Amino acid sequence: MSSEVNLRPLSGFKMDFSANPDFDKFFFAASCDCGTSALLSLEVSIHKTDEEINQALPSLIEKLQNQEKSFRSMNCTMHGMMRKGFIEDTK
């Protein structure tokens, strides 16, 4: 990955958001100084060969990098709204 990328792999992290059990899921975290973290993930079919996975890796890595850049380009106010679920405080 690019030296600009600051993702942490989350080994042992198990969440089954996919309706397809034939996929292995890999999770990564990107964090901001404001305390907000983004959960990024990749899914890879268990039916893919090592060769197919190796061929797809550049594209998969690029997608992860773009997701992280998008998260980091948001300001901390937007991060705060993400943490609160975009619910406006009416107090």
Side-chain angles (χ1 to χ4, degrees):
M1 288 195 197
S2 161
S3 62
E4 297 174 10
V5 174
N6 189 14
L7 292 173
R8 293 182 324 276
L10 299 175
S11 61
F13 191 75
K14 304 274 185 203
M15 290 183 81
D16 191 10
F17 288 125
S18 174
N20 191 340
D22 292 338
F23 281 77
D24 283 327
K25 295 142 191 88
F26 303 92
F27 297 95
F28 300 86
S31 299
C32 179
D33 291 338
C34 71
T36 303
S37 293
L39 177 65
L40 308 177
S41 66
L42 291 176
E43 292 187 345
V44 178
S45 171
I46 62 172
H47 304 292
K48 296 290 182 184
T49 65
D50 288 347
E51 175 74 25
E52 290 172 315
I53 294 169
N54 284 334
Q55 287 178 356
L57 270 178
S59 173
L60 295 172
I61 290 170
E62 182 179 2
K63 287 179 184 178
L64 268 179
Q65 289 174 332
N66 288 338
Q67 289 175 0
E68 185 207 17
K69 286 178 187 174
S70 177
F71 170 75
R72 294 197 187 285
S73 70
M74 294 177 193
N75 63 37
C76 292
T77 301
M78 180 64 78
H79 287 163
M81 291 191 316
M82 289 171 59
R83 282 194 313 272
K84 296 175 185 172
F86 293 96
I87 297 171
E88 288 187 38
D89 187 8
T90 56
K91 295 179 184 177

